[in-house]
C-alpha cells in the first residue's frame, strides 16, 4: 500500500498520463514592442537586439505582411505571441498588426501560457507610442538590402 | 517491480527531451538552434485551442498550430520553406482540423525566452498519405490576392500595403526620406 501511494505520488509529480489541460487566461497589461518573431527566435538575421526597432522596421513589415507571427517583446524580455488585436483575428498578415510593426505599445488583454510559449489576445491597445527603439544608430539597417540604393 | 519502475521512468521522460529527428529529411538552414523534426500532429486553430475563441475556427488569416500526437505539445509553425519572409498559415490552412505528418526544423534556443516549440515546416501530408507537399504556397496565394502588383522582383518589394507604409513613414518608420534613411544607415 505504501509503495502504491508513493508510486502514485511520483507519477502525479512528473505529470505522467496527465490529460491535456486548456490554458487558463490571465488579465494582463504589457508594454513592449511589436516584433517579427521568426527573425527574433531563429537568429536568421543576427542576434536579437538587431532584429527589433528602427533597424529592422522594413523587415518587420515584410514579415508581418508575409504572415509570420508577430509578438509583443515585453519590457521583461518575454515574447508574447499575438493572436488577436482589438477584435481582429487576422494574425497571419492582418492589417491591424501590420500598422503596429516595430511600435512600442501598451496592450491590455488576456495572457495564455502553453508549452513554453506565451500567447496574448490584445483586447485594447491602450497606448501606441510609435517607434521608440532607434537602434538603427547602432546596427544600421537589418538586413542591409532592406533599403535599396536610391541611386540605382 | 524494478522492470515496472524502469518502464514508467522511460515513459515519463520529460517531453521536451523527446527526439523527433529520426526519419527527418529536413534541409538545414544553418540556424544556430535548429533541430530536424518530423512528427504526426493535428493542425489546429491557435485562437480556438489556446484561448477558446472558436467562432471563426480555421478561418483564413488566423494562425494555425500543430498539436503533436506523441506528447500533446502545441508547436507553433512560424515559417514555411520559402525564403522570402513567408509564414506557414497558408500552407497549413487546407489541413486545418486534420491529422498530418510534417517535416522541418524545430527551434529550441535556451538563451532566448520563448524560443521553444517554434517550427519551420518544410513538408506536409495527411497522415498515412504517400506524397509530401512542399510548403511553398505563400507566394502563390499572395499573387492571387494582389493581381495589381504583378511585376518583376520579389513580392515584398511589390506589396501594396508594405509600400504604402514605407511611402508614408520611410524605411526606418521615422519619416525620413529614402535617401536620408539609406545614408544614415551606411
Amino acid at each position: 500500500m505504501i509503495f502504491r501511494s508513493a508510486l502514485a505520488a511520483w507519477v502525479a509529480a512528473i505529470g505522467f498520463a496527465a490529460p491535456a489541460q486548456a490554458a487558463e487566461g490571465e488579465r494582463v497589461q504589457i508594454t513592449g514592442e511589436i516584433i517579427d518573431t521568426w527573425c527574433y527566435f531563429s537568429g536568421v538575421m543576427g542576434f536579437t537586439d538587431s532584429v527589433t526597432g528602427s533597424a529592422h522596421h522594413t523587415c518587420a513589415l515584410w514579415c508581418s505582411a508575409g504572415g509570420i507571427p508577430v509578438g509583443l517583446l515585453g519590457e521583461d524580455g518575454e515574447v508574447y505571441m499575438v493572436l488577436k488585436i482589438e477584435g481582429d483575428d487576422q494574425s497571419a498578415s492582418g492589417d491591424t498588426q501590420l500598422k503596429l510593426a516595430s511600435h512600442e505599445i501598451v496592450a491590455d488583454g488576456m495572457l495564455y501560457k502553453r508549452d513554453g510559449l506565451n500567447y496574448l489576445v490584445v483586447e485594447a491597445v491602450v497606448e501606441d507610442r510609435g517607434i521608440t527603439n532607434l537602434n538603427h544608430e547602432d546596427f544600421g539597417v537589418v538586413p542591409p538590402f532592406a533599403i535599396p540604393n536610391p541611386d540605382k | 517491480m524494478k522492470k515496472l519502475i524502469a518502464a514508467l521512468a522511460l515513459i515519463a521522460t520529460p517531453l521536451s527531451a523527446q527526439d523527433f529527428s529520426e526519419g527527418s529529411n529536413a534541409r538545414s538552414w544553418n540556424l544556430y538552434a535548429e533541430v530536424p523534426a518530423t512528427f504526426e500532429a493535428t493542425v489546429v486553430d491557435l485562437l480556438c485551442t489556446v484561448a477558446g475563441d472558436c467562432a471563426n475556427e480555421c478561418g483564413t488569416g488566423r494562425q494555425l498550430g500543430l498539436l503533436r500526437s506523441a506528447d500533446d505539445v502545441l508547436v507553433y509553425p512560424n515559417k514555411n520553406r520559402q525564403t522570402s519572409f513567408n509564414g506557414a498559415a497558408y500552407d497549413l490552412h487546407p489541413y486545418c482540423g486534420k491529422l498530418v505528418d510534417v517535416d522541418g526544423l524545430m527551434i529550441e534556443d535556451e538563451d532566448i525566452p520563448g524560443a521553444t516549440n517554434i517550427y519551420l515546416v518544410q513538408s506536409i501530408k495527411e497522415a498515412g498519405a504517400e506524397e509530401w507537399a512542399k510548403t511553398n504556397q505563400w507566394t502563390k496565394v499572395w499573387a492571387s490576392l494582389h493581381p495589381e502588383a504583378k511585376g518583376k522582383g520579389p513580392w515584398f518589394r511589390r506589396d501594396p500595403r508594405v509600400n504604402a507604409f514605407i511611402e508614408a513613414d520611410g524605411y526606418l518608420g521615422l519619416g525620413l526620406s529614402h535617401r536620408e534613411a539609406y545614408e544614415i544607415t551606411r
Side-chain angles (χ1 to χ4, degrees), chain A residues 20 58 84 95 115 145 151, chain B residues 53 72 74 157 161 171 179:
Chain A
T58 294
K84 193 174 188 178
D95 289 339
D115 298 323
F145 64 81
D151 294 323
Chain B
D53 182 342
D72 202 39
L74 185 59
R157 295 286 190 199
R161 292 187 302 159
Y171 285 96
R179 181 169 298 280

Side-chain angles (χ1 to χ4, degrees), chain A:
Chain A
M1 180 63 79
I2 293 173
F3 175 77
R4 283 184 184 174
S5 298
L7 183 61
W10 174 69
V11 166
I14 60 175
F16 170 58
Q21 297 291 322
E24 288 206 15
E26 172 192 356
R27 186 100 204 171
V28 293
Q29 190 166 96
I30 298 170
T31 299
E33 179 188 329
I34 294 290
I35 64 165
D36 134 36
T37 58
W38 173 249
C39 288
Y40 192 84
F41 287 142
S42 71
V44 68
M45 296 279 177
F47 68 103
T48 52
D49 286 353
S50 67
V51 292
T52 60
S54 56
H56 197 63
H57 176 62
T58 294
C59 189
L61 287 171
W62 292 341
C63 289
S64 181
I68 288 174
V70 305
L72 182 61
L73 175 59
E75 293 173 319
D76 57 2
E78 293 286 330
V79 176
Y80 300 85
M81 309 299 284
V82 176
L83 293 178
K84 193 174 188 178
I85 304 176
E86 295 185 332
D88 184 352
D89 69 356
Q90 299 295 287
S91 51
S93 190
D95 289 339
T96 305
Q97 64 179 40
L98 183 61
K99 74 180 181 185
L100 294 173
S102 317
H103 287 209
E104 180 184 8
I105 68 169
V106 180
D108 191 282
M110 296 298 291
L111 170 65
Y112 303 85
K113 296 185 178 185
R114 176 149 180 179
D115 298 323
L117 289 173
N118 301 306
Y119 294 93
L120 186 64
V121 174
V122 178
E123 294 183 358
V125 177
V126 177
E127 191 176 349
D128 178 359
R129 298 172 179 167
I131 298 176
T132 61
N133 180 6
L134 306 182
N135 61 347
H136 68 280
E137 296 169 357
D138 298 316
F139 304 114
V141 61
V142 181
F145 64 81
I147 306 179
N149 186 336
D151 294 323
K152 289 187 178 178

Side-chain angles (χ1 to χ4, degrees), chain B residues 53-72:
Chain B
D53 182 342
C54 304
N56 189 24
E57 185 178 4
C58 294
T60 304
R62 286 162 69 110
Q63 291 287 356
L64 304 177
L66 293 167
L67 191 58
R68 197 160 54 202
S69 300
D71 52 12
D72 202 39

